[in-house]
Amino acid sequence: MKILLVTEQFCLANNGMTISSQRFARILKEHGHEVRMMGYSREPVDADGEYAYAMKKLTIPVFDNLITSQGMIFAKVNRKIIRDALVWADLVHILSPFALSHVTIKMARLYGVPFTGAFHVQPENITSSIHLSRADLVNDAIYHWFHFYIYRYCRHIHCPSNFIAGELRLRGYHSQLHVISNGIDPDFVYRKSPKVKALEGKFVVLMVGRLSIEKRQDVLIRAVTRSRYADRIQLVLAGKGPRKEALLRLAEKEHLANPLQIHFFPKKHLLELISMSDLYVHAADVEIEAMSCMEAFAGGLVPVIADSRKSATPQFALDQRSLFQAGDSNDLAAKIDYWIEHETERKAMEYKYSALGKKYALENCVRQAEEMFRQELEEHAGKRRRFICRRRKQSQKDS
């Protein structure tokens, strides 16, 4: 197949959706498909040097700094580029619910090109930035707007988790929903390495993710200070985002025993960090799936996950020892202390969590997406045949 992936950006691996898109494209190519991506890019080529449909950046006055600080860039819609892409493509897969996708869907329907959608943007990810993540009426309105603007046109929608599929059904999404994980990169496997000198003698607690309000790194910082073993714990936050300075100030205010480490790690260094860490915490209130948590437990770390009703991540907890009450630093501190005190149990659970990661192998997840694509192509062809038959019958009547 010639598959066109449509997303706002694909050149900067600085958010989960973009990283997932790049991996998805790579595996599709390995399976023999031709894959091109359409969205913002500084250069008209993708990571493999193949031509892509590159658009300029859309600058949004007032909000542009906030948007870019969250790792997002919007593409400036260019209808000529979209037309060229649709002429090439056998199938279009929509990855983001914004203007570029909306116009692409309108033109795909006009040109008769089949398309599918993926639901990667949770409304709470948007409203958290303006402190409205708990405003259910606002979040519901965004769900309904996404449906009206994008997803009502899609016969098939890829949902990364049962959680988000349930949220869509609750709000009247009537398309066929395909629950398919974004998948874990095969490089994330159980591996342990000796700690570098700066981490020697420390119990390393790791959290990976964008430094934004809904990820709740603040809960983790407070939990570490309330641990009975605070002096032993080295907290590392892997990521970047608008909350970095605020989190550093919070760590200083809470008198974190060991200086908070915040860095963005390329994949190679992230793999090394996971191999030297002792425990993974995912404190986020809002998650469609949480690829970073999946990668961590696939790499051999026991996770402690916020049991939030707005998050899919609790599905990965193998028992209650890996869950804490969302937003409760005291409960999280107690769970961290438990795993420090029960090293033998933690070592045993590391292997179980690593085995769980194999269930979400990227290769298998892409195979499931390919089946969704084939289903759309067959249904589209059938609909087109029925349309042609009706036109022929109407012509015969007219004659």
Side-chain angles (χ1 to χ4, degrees), residues 101-121:
S101 296
H102 175 71
V103 176
T104 300
I105 286 173
K106 287 178 65 177
M107 294 179 67
R109 295 178 74 203
L110 180 65
Y111 295 159
V113 180
F115 56 88
T116 57
F119 202 95
H120 288 302
V121 179

Side-chain angles (χ1 to χ4, degrees), residues 302-374:
V302 173
V304 180
I305 301 164
D307 194 5
S308 170
R309 66 183 183 90
K310 294 292 186 181
S311 172
T313 322
Q315 70 178 311
F316 301 122
L318 294 178
D319 58 48
Q320 289 298 314
R321 296 174 298 174
S322 283
L323 290 173
F324 75 95
Q325 187 174 341
D328 190 334
S329 295
N330 291 324
D331 191 34
L332 176 54
K335 294 297 171 68
I336 292 172
D337 288 351
Y338 175 87
W339 289 116
I340 292 175
E341 293 168 354
H342 296 81
E343 182 177 2
T344 302
E345 293 179 29
R346 178 166 51 82
K347 294 294 183 184
M349 291 303 293
E350 286 178 350
Y351 288 101
K352 291 183 179 181
Y353 274 107
S354 183
L356 174 64
K358 295 176 183 178
K359 176 182 176 182
Y360 302 98
L362 180 58
E363 179 78 20
N364 296 335
C365 297
V366 174
R367 295 285 185 197
Q368 294 175 57
E370 288 173 311
E371 183 56 38
M372 180 184 73
F373 294 161
R374 280 189 283 270

Side-chain angles (χ1 to χ4, degrees), residues 58-258:
L58 175 65
T59 300
I60 301 176
V62 181
F63 296 103
D64 199 61
N65 287 337
L66 175 62
I67 292 167
T68 54
S69 71
Q70 296 287 352
M72 274 298 296
I73 294 176
F74 289 105
K76 188 174 183 179
V77 175
N78 184 314
R79 292 174 182 269
K80 180 182 183 304
I81 293 176
I82 296 173
R83 183 175 67 249
D84 292 344
L86 292 175
V87 168
W88 172 84
D90 293 328
L91 178 134
V92 177
H93 186 50
I94 301 295
L95 294 166
S96 58
F98 303 114
L100 175 61
S101 296
H102 175 71
V103 176
T104 300
I105 286 173
K106 287 178 65 177
M107 294 179 67
R109 295 178 74 203
L110 180 65
Y111 295 159
V113 180
F115 56 88
T116 57
F119 202 95
H120 288 302
V121 179
Q122 194 172 351
E124 288 83 356
N125 288 134
I126 298 171
T127 56
S128 291
S129 300
I130 52 175
H131 303 279
L132 289 174
S133 63
R134 297 184 181 181
D136 289 341
L137 287 176
V138 177
N139 292 320
D140 285 345
I142 296 174
Y143 272 111
H144 290 301
W145 171 250
F146 283 170
H147 181 256
F148 174 80
Y149 196 56
I150 300 289
Y151 295 105
R152 66 182 172 133
Y153 301 110
C154 301
R155 276 189 292 256
H156 300 273
I157 301 175
H158 164 212
C159 299
S161 62
N162 280 310
F163 159 75
I164 201 63
E167 295 290 291
L168 300 190
R169 291 190 189 99
L170 185 66
R171 292 166 175 84
Y173 283 58
H174 298 299
S175 307
Q176 184 171 344
L177 305 180
H178 300 256
V179 178
I180 306 168
S181 170
N182 284 319
I184 300 174
D185 188 294
D187 289 339
F188 289 87
V189 295
Y190 188 97
R191 183 165 66 97
K192 295 297 177 182
S193 302
K195 293 176 180 176
V196 296
K197 188 173 182 179
L199 300 178
E200 286 180 358
K202 303 295 184 184
F203 186 90
V204 180
V205 175
L206 172 66
M207 181 173 172
V208 182
R210 190 173 67 254
L211 307 175
S212 55
I213 293 172
E214 75 275 17
K215 301 303 181 183
R216 299 309 306 270
Q217 288 94 347
D218 60 306
V219 174
L220 175 54
I221 291 171
R222 292 189 177 96
V224 170
T225 63
R226 296 171 190 181
S227 166
R228 292 193 296 272
Y229 307 95
D231 59 330
R232 286 181 52 194
I233 296 174
Q234 175 60 64
L235 178 57
V236 180
L237 303 180
K240 57 184 176 181
R243 294 275 293 165
K244 181 177 180 178
E245 295 304 319
L247 293 170
L248 288 170
R249 288 195 299 271
L250 177 62
E252 185 175 354
K253 178 183 175 182
E254 294 287 330
H255 304 293
L256 202 64
N258 295 298

